[in-house]
Amino acid sequence: MNDLILKTARLIQEARHVVALTGAGISVESGIPPFRGPGGLWEKFDPMEVGHIQSFLRDPEKVWRLLISEMRNVLAAARPNPAHLGLARLEAMGLLKTVITQNVDGLHQMAGNRDVIEFHGNFAWLQCLDCGQRVKTVDVNLDHMPPRCPCGGIYRPECVFFGEMIPPEELDRSQIAASSCDLMLVVGCSAVVQPAAYMPII
């Protein structure tokens, strides 16, 4: 293991442009369960029942009660762990240019990373389906489900549901970052879910 750490340190030091690709595994130590695998959210819920945009539009109250309100509580308690802090330190040292993340927890920004591409959006903000108003997730009252905007519209998290496209700007930025780098650190990511899995290949 020490040899691998030293080799990685040398590669980072010698590289001209380092990019990190992160997935759910980097945030497990912060108390956020992954979606897939043992202990993952999809063991508790059917992803097509609560994670698909059509499910949300058909029955937003059910999706809010089963998935989103639980996620809000977990994410509100989470703090960056040494892996997040390490990537932020690499950026502060001028060694890491960009983080591409599949996570919606905002922990990279909380740790101090400034250039973060969020493939699947961010759970820190909600948006009204009717008027588009944005509000911080922690500021929304969950006494009545689903939570509603003052205009009467339903709030949805600013993250990508199944059945939705990756935001084109984030996809473009991640492809540019991947094609510009000469070293990519893959951290807490199985690199099997497309299109994120294609970034190391680029």
Side-chain angles (χ1 to χ4, degrees), residues 7-201:
K7 180 182 178 183
T8 305
R10 278 196 302 271
L11 288 170
I12 292 171
Q13 196 170 29
E14 293 166 2
R16 291 176 291 101
H17 193 113
V18 182
V19 170
L21 171 67
T22 70
I26 196 172
S27 295
V28 169
E29 193 177 323
S30 295
I32 301 174
F35 284 95
R36 293 173 178 80
L41 283 172
W42 299 148
E43 282 190 347
K44 295 171 64 175
F45 306 113
D46 178 351
M48 291 301 110
E49 184 182 350
V50 296
H52 198 283
I53 186 59
Q54 292 304 322
S55 300
F56 181 81
L57 296 175
R58 187 169 48 250
D59 194 348
E61 179 179 350
K62 178 180 180 180
V63 175
W64 264 101
R65 285 192 186 282
L66 289 179
L67 180 67
I68 302 173
S69 58
E70 179 175 327
M71 281 183 63
R72 183 180 101 148
N73 295 336
V74 170
L75 295 178
R79 294 295 175 266
N81 65 54
H84 298 103
L85 298 171
L87 290 177
R89 187 167 177 212
L90 286 175
E91 183 183 303
M93 295 167 68
L95 297 172
L96 176 67
K97 303 295 184 190
T98 304
V99 174
I100 304 169
T101 187
Q102 297 176 86
N103 299 341
V104 296
D105 52 38
L107 293 180
H108 287 299
Q109 295 92 323
M110 199 183 297
N113 282 108
R114 292 185 302 273
D115 188 10
V116 180
I117 300 171
E118 294 176 310
F119 234 54
H120 295 146
N122 192 311
F123 198 78
W125 290 88
L126 304 176
Q127 188 173 43
C128 175
L129 287 172
D130 288 350
C131 73
Q133 178 185 325
R134 299 175 76 230
V135 62
K136 287 186 176 180
T137 304
V138 293
D139 293 339
V140 171
N141 186 337
L142 296 184
D143 289 343
H144 302 285
M145 294 285 194
R148 292 185 178 270
C149 173
C151 81
I154 295 169
Y155 281 123
R156 62 154 290 168
E158 286 191 346
C159 43
V160 178
F161 283 87
F162 289 112
E164 293 188 302
M165 299 292 291
I166 302 294
E169 181 182 339
E170 303 303 293
L171 184 57
D172 289 346
R173 286 185 62 219
S174 64
Q175 290 173 335
I176 291 167
S179 61
S180 302
C181 76
D182 57 347
L183 177 66
M184 181 171 286
L185 305 173
V186 180
V187 187
C189 173
S190 61
V192 295
V193 178
Q194 296 291 357
Y198 196 61
M199 295 304 121
I201 297 169

